C-alpha cells in the first residue's frame, strides 16, 4: 500500500515529530540540532511571553534552556498538507503549552528548520466565548427584578471608571485602540478606551478631504468582523470613520469619547496607574493595572522651526491639521515634504485649481499602487489570495513567519520587478528632478515603513502630476526662511506663498509619555518603532523586532499598540493575551526584555 501523503508532508511530519520528542525529553541540544546554522525562531508570546526572534542556534539554545521547563510544550500536530517550492518545505502545525494553545509555521531546507514561527492563540481556561461556548443572551424562565441587555449595559457603563475600576485603560481610540478593545472585551478584561474626539472614527474624518486608505481592503479588516464583500478596495476616510464608530457599538466597547488624558502616574503601593482624565469637562481619576498607549504609529507632529515663520501672513499648518483644498483655488501653495501626505495634499490642491510646489528635501521611494498590490501584497491579501485559501488570518501568519533579519531579501526581488514594470514613470520623475530611491538595500516600501515609518509614497496618481510638471518641484533643498508672503529656499530661490503646509512627519510615540507621565519614564521606555537596522532614521543596535510595540517595555504595566490596520488587527491578539494572563494571575516571565538604546 502506498503512502498517501506527499513528500513535503512526510518531511515536515518527520521534523515536527523529532522536534516534539526532543522538547518532551528536555533535550535542548537535540532540538537545536534540527535547525540550520542560518536559522530563526520567531515567537509571539507562546514561549517567551514576549515578541522576540531568536537568531541562530546559539540564541535558540539559550531561549530553550531558559524557557523549556516552564513552557512544557506538547501536542504538536501537523495541520494540513505541507508544500514545497524552490527546495523550501512550508508546513503549519498546532501545539500546546502548560497554559496555552498555539499555532506555528516552519520552513525546512534539506530537512532542517530555516525559520520557525510559534504563536499563542488562546489561554487554557480563559478561552473566548465563541461557537459552542457562546453566551445564551436570554434568561428563559420567570425572574423578579430581571434586567434586560440594555439595562445591564447601562449599569456597566455607569459603574466602570467610577464605582468599579478597569483592568486596562487604553489611551487612544483610533483603529488601534478599538481593535485592542474588541480583543479585550472578548476575553472579559474590563477596559476603558479614552479618546479626545467626540466620536469614534473622528481621527479619520478630520483628515484632509481626499484621504483614502492606500492599503487594499483584504489587508485592512478589523478583528472578528471583516468588511462586507462589496467594500471598496481603497476605503475613503469618512467611510472608515463610520465603520469604526459602528464597530465600537456592536462590539460593546467602553469607549469614552470627548475625554482628554491629563496626567498619569504609577502608584507603587497599590501597583496601579492613576490616570487623570477630563471627561466631558469633568475630572475623573482612573486606576487601572495596565496602561496602553494606542496613538497610531507616531508621536507629536514634527513642525520645523524656520526663521521668520511667525511673520507669515498666509496660512501655515502641519499636514495633520490640513483642512482640505477648497479655500485655496488660485492660491500659491508650498508643501514641504514628499511622502504620502505631501503627495495627497499636493494632488488635491492641484485638483482645486491651486498653484502647488512640492519641496523635496531628500530622496523618496515611489511604489505605484497597482504594482504594489500585484507584486507585494497580492499573494497574501487579494481576491485571488482568498480564492487560493489564504484569508487575512492566514496571510497575517505567513507575513509574521518571515524574520525581520531576512525580510529584506524577500522584498528586493519585488522592487526589482517594480523598477522594470514602472520604468517609464520612474524615468519621467527623474527627468522632472524628483529624487528617487528604493531603500538603501533596494528592499522598498515595507522595509522603510518598519525601519523608519517614512520615506515613501504609494502612488495613487500624484506622481504623474509631478512627472508632467503640474505639481511644481524643488528637490534637494529646504526652506531657509519664511517671509510675509513667500519662502526662501536654501538654494536662494524665493517662492510666493499663500499657504505653507509642513508635511514633515511625526516624532516617536514615547514623546506622549514625556508630557503625560514624565520625561524620565519616556526615556526609560526609549524610542518606539524601528528595528535597529542601522539604515537612515533607524539607528542600531539591531533589535530584530519593532521597538516597544505590543510587548513588555522597560516600564512595567506600560504598553504600546498601533501600526496600520493590518498590524493593529494582528498584534492586538498577542497584546490582549498578555494582558489577560496578567489579569488572571498567570505567571508571565518575560524572556529577554528589550533594552532601551534611544530616547525620544
Amino acid at each position: 500500500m502506498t503512502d498517501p501523503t506527499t513528500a513535503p508532508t512526510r518531511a515536515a511530519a518527520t521534523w515536527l515529530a523529532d522536534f516534539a520528542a526532543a522538547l518532551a525529553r528536555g533535550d535542548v541540544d537535540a532540538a537545536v540540532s534540527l535547525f540550520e546554522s542560518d536559522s530563526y525562531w520567531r515567537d509571539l508570546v507562546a514561549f517567551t511571553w514576549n515578541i522576540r526572534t531568536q537568531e541562530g542556534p546559539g540564541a535558540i539554545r539559550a531561549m530553550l534552556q531558559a524557557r523549556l521547563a516552564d513552557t512544557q510544550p506538547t501536542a504538536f500536530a501537523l495541520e494540513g498538507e505541507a508544500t514545497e517550492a524552490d527546495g523550501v518545505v512550508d508546513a503549519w502545525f498546532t501545539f500546546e503549552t502548560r497554559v496555552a494553545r498555539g499555532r506555528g509555521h516552519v520552513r525546512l531546507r534539506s530537512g532542517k528548520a530555516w525559520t520557525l514561527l510559534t504563536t499563542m492563540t488562546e489561554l487554557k481556561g480563559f478561552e473566548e466565548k465563541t461557537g459552542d461556548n457562546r453566551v445564551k443572551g436570554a434568561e428563559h424562565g420567570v425572574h423578579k427584578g430581571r434586567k434586560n441587555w440594555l439595562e445591564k449595559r447601562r449599569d456597566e457603563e455607569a459603574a466602570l471608571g467610577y464605582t468599579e475600576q478597569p483592568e486596562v485603560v487604553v489611551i487612544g481610540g483610533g483603529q488601534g485602540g478599538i481593535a485592542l478593545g474588541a480583543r479585550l472585551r472578548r476575553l472579559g478584561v474590563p477596559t476603558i478606551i479614552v479618546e479626545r474626539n467626540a466620536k469614534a472614527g473622528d481621527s479619520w474624518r478630520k483628515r484632509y478631504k481626499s484621504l483614502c486608505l492606500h492599503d487594499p481592503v483584504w489587508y485592512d479588516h478589523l478583528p472578528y468582523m471583516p468588511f462586507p464583500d462589496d467594500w471598496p478596495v481603497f476605503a475613503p476616510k469618512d467611510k472608515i470613520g463610520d465603520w469604526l464608530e459602528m464597530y465600537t457599538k456592536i462590539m460593546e466597547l467602553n469607549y469614552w469619547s470627548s475625554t482628554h488624558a491629563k496626567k498619569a502616574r504609577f502608584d507603587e503601593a497599590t501597583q496601579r496607574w492613576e490616570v487623570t482624565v477630563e471627561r466631558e469637562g469633568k475630572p475623573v481619576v482612573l486606576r487601572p493595572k495596565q496602561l496602553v498607549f494606542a496613538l497610531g504609529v507616531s508621536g507629536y507632529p514634527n513642525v520645523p522651526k524656520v526663521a521668520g515663520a511667525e511673520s507669515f501672513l498666509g496660512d501655515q499648518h502641519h499636514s495633520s491639521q490640513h483642512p482640505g483644498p477648497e479655500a485655496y483655488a488660485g492660491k500659491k501653495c508650498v508643501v514641504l515634504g514628499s511622502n504620502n501626505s505631501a503627495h495627497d495634499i499636493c494632488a488635491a490642491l492641484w485638483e482645486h485649481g491651486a498653484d502647488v510646489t512640492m519641496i523635496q528635501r531628500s530622496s523618496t521611494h515611489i511604489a505605484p499602487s497597482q504594482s504594489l498590490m500585484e507584486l507585494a501584497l497580492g499573494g497574501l491579501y487579494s481576491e485571488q489570495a482568498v480564492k487560493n485559501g489564504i484569508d487575512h488570518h492566514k496571510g497575517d501568519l505567513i507575513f509574521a513567519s518571515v524574520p525581520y533579519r531576512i525580510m529584506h531579501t524577500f522584498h528586493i526581488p519585488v522592487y526589482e520587478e517594480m523598477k522594470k514594470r514602472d520604468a517609464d514613470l520612474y524615468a519621467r520623475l527623474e527627468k522632472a528632478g524628483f529624487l528617487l530611491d528604493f531603500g538603501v538595500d533596494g528592499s522598498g516600501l515595507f522595509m522603510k515603513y518598519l525601519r523608519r515609518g517614512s520615506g515613501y509614497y504609494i502612488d495613487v496618481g500624484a506622481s504623474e502630476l509631478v512627472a508632467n510638471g503640474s505639481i511644481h518641484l524643488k528637490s534637494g533643498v529646504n526652506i531657509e526662511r519664511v517671509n510675509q508672503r513667500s519662502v526662501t529656499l536654501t538654494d536662494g530661490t524665493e517662492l510666493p506663498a499663500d499657504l505653507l503646509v509642513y508635511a514633515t512627519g511625526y516624532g516617536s510615540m514615547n514623546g506622549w509619555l514625556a508630557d503625560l507621565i514624565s520625561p524620565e519614564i519616556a526615556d526609560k521606555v526609549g524610542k518606539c518603532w524601528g528595528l535597529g537596522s542601522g539604515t537612515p532614521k533607524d539607528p542600531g543596535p539591531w533589535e530584530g523586532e519593532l521597538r516597544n510595540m505590543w510587548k513588555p517595555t522597560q516600564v512595567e504595566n506600560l504598553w504600546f499598540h498601533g501600526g496600520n490596520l493590518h498590524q493593529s488587527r494582528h498584534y492586538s491578539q498577542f497584546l490582549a493575551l498578555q494582558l489577560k494572563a496578567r489579569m488572571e494571575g498567570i505567571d508571565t516571565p518575560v524572556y529577554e526584555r528589550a533594552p532601551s538604546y534611544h530616547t525620544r
Side-chain angles (χ1 to χ4, degrees):
M1 186 175 179
T2 57
D3 187 341
T5 59
T6 63
T9 300
R10 289 196 299 272
T14 297
W15 185 90
L16 192 63
D18 290 345
F19 184 60
L23 296 182
R25 64 178 183 266
D27 191 342
V28 171
D29 288 339
V32 173
S33 73
L34 296 169
F35 289 81
E36 286 186 346
S37 57
D38 175 28
S39 56
Y40 306 86
W41 181 346
R42 187 171 192 229
D43 181 62
L44 304 183
V45 184
F47 279 71
T48 60
W49 290 108
N50 201 350
I51 293 177
R52 179 172 170 76
T53 301
Q54 284 63 237
E55 299 182 356
I60 292 169
R61 175 179 283 105
M63 187 275 282
L64 284 175
Q65 288 172 337
R67 295 293 306 132
L68 180 57
D70 179 56
T71 304
Q72 297 177 27
T74 58
F76 286 87
L78 207 60
E79 187 178 58
E81 293 287 321
T83 59
E84 184 172 3
D86 301 322
V88 179
V89 172
D90 277 79
W92 296 92
F93 61 91
T94 56
F95 65 97
E96 295 185 16
T97 69
R98 180 174 55 83
V99 299
R101 298 179 187 89
R103 192 177 185 202
H105 177 272
V106 65
R107 291 185 181 88
L108 303 175
R109 295 192 299 200
S110 301
K112 292 199 172 186
W114 174 30
T115 70
L116 177 66
L117 171 72
T118 48
T119 73
M120 182 183 291
T121 57
E122 62 182 3
L123 293 162
K124 293 178 180 177
F126 303 103
E127 298 84 358
E128 294 182 0
K129 291 179 172 59
T130 61
D132 292 338
N133 296 322
R134 70 175 75 221
V135 299
K136 286 200 169 26
E139 295 179 54
H140 294 155
V142 179
H143 308 282
K144 287 186 176 181
R146 180 208 306 259
K147 291 188 176 182
N148 67 9
W149 170 84
L150 181 60
E151 291 169 320
K152 291 177 182 177
R153 185 80 183 98
R154 286 175 174 168
D155 286 349
E156 178 187 4
E157 290 174 336
L160 195 62
Y162 296 97
T163 59
E164 297 176 13
Q165 286 302 316
E167 174 76 11
V168 178
V169 163
V170 180
I171 295 178
Q175 65 212 31
I178 287 170
L180 179 60
R183 299 277 193 191
L184 291 169
R185 180 77 179 181
R186 291 273 286 250
L187 288 169
V189 179
T191 301
I192 291 174
I193 302 166
V194 172
E195 169 59 39
R196 65 184 177 181
N197 284 310
K199 293 191 298 183
D202 278 354
S203 54
W204 283 92
R205 295 187 187 97
K206 290 184 176 181
R207 297 299 304 278
Y208 51 90
K209 179 181 177 180
S210 62
L211 178 64
C212 288
L213 285 177
H214 288 178
D215 299 321
V217 61
W218 307 277
Y219 188 73
D220 292 330
H221 297 296
L222 294 182
Y224 312 118
M225 193 184 300
F227 294 117
D229 58 11
D230 68 340
W231 195 262
V233 174
F234 302 108
K237 68 181 182 72
D238 296 287
K239 195 171 180 67
I240 287 290
D242 288 350
W243 183 264
L244 291 172
E245 183 179 8
M246 175 278 301
Y247 186 90
T248 62
K249 293 178 181 177
I250 290 177
M251 303 306 285
E252 300 181 22
L253 306 187
N254 292 300
Y255 192 92
W256 285 19
S257 57
S258 300
T259 304
H260 292 253
K262 295 292 190 179
K263 203 68 182 170
R265 59 177 288 272
F266 190 71
D267 188 329
E268 293 289 347
T270 62
Q271 291 294 290
R272 285 182 174 269
W273 287 95
E274 186 179 279
V275 184
T276 302
V277 304
E278 184 180 283
R279 187 185 191 196
E280 298 174 339
K282 297 178 182 178
V284 182
V285 178
L286 302 172
R287 292 182 172 83
K289 289 183 180 176
Q290 310 288 342
L291 181 60
V292 181
F293 283 82
L295 294 163
V297 176
S298 310
Y300 291 120
N302 283 330
V303 180
K305 295 189 186 322
V306 185
E310 70 284 353
S311 68
F312 188 59
L313 298 179
D315 293 341
Q316 61 178 326
H317 46 248
H318 188 265
S319 58
S320 60
Q321 302 300 314
H322 184 60
E326 288 79 9
Y328 302 105
K331 303 287 188 179
K332 300 283 188 180
C333 303
V334 174
V335 178
L336 179 63
S338 56
N339 295 339
N340 271 330
S341 293
H343 278 84
D344 284 350
I345 290 168
C346 283
L349 287 166
W350 178 84
E351 285 181 337
H352 282 74
D355 182 288
V356 189
T357 300
M358 175 188 290
I359 299 176
Q360 183 189 27
R361 296 171 295 174
S362 57
S363 64
T364 308
H365 171 56
I366 302 295
S369 176
Q370 191 61 36
S371 295
L372 187 70
M373 286 179 61
E374 293 176 9
L375 298 174
L377 292 173
L380 300 183
Y381 303 100
S382 66
E383 205 63 40
Q384 187 58 51
V386 173
K387 291 174 182 175
N388 293 341
I390 302 176
D391 62 6
H392 59 283
H393 301 293
K394 192 168 187 179
D396 289 350
L397 289 173
I398 294 172
F399 206 98
S401 73
V402 180
Y404 289 126
R405 175 71 82 174
I406 60 173
M407 185 176 280
H408 65 288
T409 67
F410 285 62
H411 287 260
I412 289 170
V414 169
Y415 294 94
E416 288 295 325
E417 180 60 30
M418 196 178 290
K419 285 180 188 177
K420 297 174 186 175
R421 178 182 291 206
D422 300 294
D424 177 66
L425 173 64
Y426 292 135
R428 290 187 296 113
L429 279 169
E430 290 187 315
K431 186 176 180 181
F434 195 85
L435 303 175
L436 280 170
D437 74 59
F438 282 80
V440 293
D441 52 6
S443 59
L445 186 145
F446 200 73
M447 294 311 299
K448 271 200 161 191
Y449 170 71
L450 293 169
R451 290 165 173 170
R452 55 184 281 190
S454 65
Y456 53 83
Y457 167 55
I458 299 175
D459 178 26
V460 293
S463 287
E464 180 58 38
L465 297 177
V466 175
N468 67 27
S470 298
I471 294 173
H472 311 306
L473 176 70
K474 291 291 292 184
S475 57
V477 296
N478 205 338
I479 297 176
E480 184 173 89
R481 186 175 66 257
V482 177
N483 311 305
Q484 289 188 342
R485 289 289 183 186
S486 66
V487 296
T488 302
L489 306 183
T490 49
D491 66 355
T493 303
E494 185 173 354
L495 299 176
D498 302 301
L499 168 68
L500 176 55
V501 179
Y502 300 105
T504 44
Y506 301 83
S508 174
M509 280 178 272
N510 66 323
W512 302 109
L513 273 60
D515 290 342
L516 193 66
I517 306 174
S518 72
E520 293 75 21
I521 291 295
D523 291 344
K524 184 176 181 181
V525 168
K527 184 178 179 180
C528 298
W529 211 257
L531 304 171
S533 63
T535 58
K537 298 190 178 182
D538 183 25
W542 176 253
E543 181 168 321
E545 294 288 344
L546 284 170
R547 293 187 189 93
N548 286 314
M549 297 303 298
W550 316 296
K551 60 185 178 181
T553 67
Q554 284 291 327
V555 176
E556 290 289 346
N557 302 45
L558 178 64
W559 311 78
F560 286 88
H561 175 62
N564 57 28
L565 278 158
H566 152 251
Q567 291 170 309
S568 292
R569 172 187 68 245
H570 179 58
Y571 288 101
S572 60
Q573 174 183 1
F574 305 107
L575 177 50
L577 286 168
Q578 293 173 81
L579 294 170
K580 174 66 171 178
R582 284 161 172 78
M583 174 180 146
E584 299 298 346
I586 297 171
D587 192 26
T588 57
V590 179
Y591 179 71
E592 292 289 321
R593 191 186 304 256
S596 301
Y597 293 109
H598 307 285
T599 58
R600 288 156 286 153

